[in-house]
Amino acid sequence: MLEVTQKLVELLDLSPIGDDHFQGDSEDLGFPNVFGGQVLGQALMAASRTVEGRLCHSLHAYFLRPGNHSMPIDYEVQRVRDGGSFSVRRVIARQDGKEILTGSMSFQGEEPGFEHQFDMPDAPEPESLKSEQELGRILAPQVPERFRETLTRDRPIEIRPVDPVNPLQPEKRPPYRQSWLRAQGPLPEDPVLHRCLLTYASDFHFLATSMQPHGLTFTSKNMQVASLDHAIWFHWDFRMDEWLLYDKDSPRSSGGRGFNRGNFYNRDGVLVASTTQEALIRKRS
């Protein structure tokens, strides 16, 4: 495992601090606040630590306050129910005694059943695309020096966008985005870890899909942008150290909010997970 990936795995490996209470560190990715995917991934790890023999099949969470990446995060897990087939957990994430995220996760044991899925959409092979790090090196000379490290840093999740957007010169585009992604280097055989890593990665560039029709990005002036909620459904086993296609669209934006949907496919065309998110995309006056 690469060192940068090992650091992410360690970030998700929470410390127990009491009965069904856990604590996780935070990382600074160059954003003003804690990356939402980090809090989601850690919350899922905390809930998973209280369930045996069952894996998460759905997650629903609300972001309540921006997190401070210079402080650890405390996670309280509440055991809502353990039924014959499903277990439900509620998770509250806090910093400085204040809730920054609340969510519910449902877990299920392996079970056969009816199967169908949408076909995987067309996409170029990941080997034909540049990574975000490579694209960042191209853009680096055009941005102030204080932003260059963020653009070119080593990343535990390699992302190769299809038809990438230039954040310095955004243009109006239809609300569709695609990218291939995978963890850098081999990972252990731990399905819980792979689900937490996908949860972490699912927040990258998700809400930006709803800004594309308006020619806006995170770097656009006078924009207030934040994730409001996030949901994931896990349909099938997968590995995060193998390429996954993240296919995203935004069917609607209104009221200062953008709605986004996503599907993860493996290279065999199997739909392994689906996501939704609503985000604040407010133009300040």
Side-chain angles (χ1 to χ4, degrees):
M1 190 186 305
L2 298 183
E3 181 180 357
V4 67
T5 308
Q6 181 65 41
K7 288 181 179 179
L8 175 56
V9 171
E10 292 172 356
L11 186 74
L12 296 173
D13 187 19
L14 308 178
S15 301
I17 56 173
D19 291 342
D20 294 346
H21 283 70
F22 305 87
Q23 187 175 84
D25 293 328
S26 296
E27 63 176 350
D28 183 357
L29 294 182
F31 305 136
N33 306 306
V34 172
F35 173 53
Q38 176 207 304
V39 188
L40 290 167
Q42 289 179 328
L44 178 55
M45 181 63 78
S48 299
R49 292 278 178 84
T50 69
V51 179
E52 293 185 7
R54 295 172 178 177
L55 293 171
C56 181
H57 71 90
S58 68
L59 173 157
H60 302 259
Y62 285 92
F63 296 99
L64 304 178
R65 292 180 177 87
N68 184 341
H69 48 59
S70 65
M71 298 173 59
I73 303 174
D74 294 336
Y75 295 89
E76 175 190 351
V77 181
Q78 300 172 357
R79 302 186 186 222
V80 179
R81 184 172 188 269
D82 288 301
S85 300
F86 296 89
S87 296
V88 176
R89 298 292 186 263
R90 185 177 298 117
V91 181
I92 301 171
R94 296 184 177 91
Q95 276 188 324
D96 197 25
K98 297 179 180 179
E99 296 182 12
I100 65 171
L101 176 139
T102 182
S104 297
M105 295 87 174
S106 182
F107 299 76
Q108 181 188 18
E110 187 174 351
E111 182 178 323
F114 301 107
E115 291 186 24
H116 77 272
Q117 70 159 74
F118 284 172
D119 291 337
M120 179 179 176
D122 293 333
E125 296 297 320
E127 292 81 7
S128 68
L129 304 170
K130 286 184 171 62
S131 70
E132 281 195 330
Q133 190 177 26
E134 292 173 306
L135 295 169
R137 292 193 187 105
I138 296 172
L139 287 176
Q142 305 173 51
V143 302
E145 188 172 352
R146 66 181 183 277
F147 297 126
R148 292 176 188 172
E149 194 276 333
T150 299
L151 284 173
T152 60
R153 64 179 174 80
D154 292 333
R155 306 167 191 221
I157 305 297
E158 181 180 3
I159 301 175
R160 298 193 177 189
V162 177
D163 194 18
V165 174
N166 183 345
L168 305 179
Q169 296 178 330
E171 57 185 1
K172 292 184 178 181
R173 296 186 178 190
Y176 300 96
R177 293 172 73 99
Q178 286 184 325
S179 57
W180 289 95
L181 56 81
R182 67 177 176 182
Q184 298 265 30
L187 294 169
E189 301 282 344
D190 181 355
V192 172
L193 175 62
H194 288 263
R195 278 169 165 74
C196 292
L197 285 169
L198 184 143
T199 300
Y200 171 90
S202 69
D203 198 31
F204 280 119
H205 310 299
F206 199 12
L207 69 82
T209 313
S210 60
M211 295 198 288
Q212 280 194 183
H214 314 286
L216 299 169
T217 70
F218 289 98
T219 60
S220 299
K221 291 183 178 180
N222 300 321
M223 285 297 296
Q224 184 180 5
V225 180
S227 301
L228 297 174
D229 62 13
H230 198 102
I232 304 175
W233 294 264
F234 298 102
H235 311 303
W236 198 254
D237 289 337
F238 59 90
R239 294 191 61 88
M240 273 299 292
D241 49 6
E242 297 176 353
W243 287 115
L244 297 173
L245 177 69
Y246 197 11
D247 185 74
K248 295 156 282 190
D249 65 42
S250 176
R252 176 69 171 164
S253 65
S254 61
R257 306 182 314 277
F259 176 62
N260 306 284
R261 307 180 298 187
N263 288 312
F264 284 92
Y265 295 85
N266 66 22
R267 294 193 77 166
D268 292 328
V270 178
L271 177 60
V272 300
S274 298
T275 57
T276 60
Q277 184 183 89
E278 192 170 46
L280 180 70
I281 50 171
R282 175 185 291 156
K283 187 78 169 179
R284 291 194 181 101
S285 57

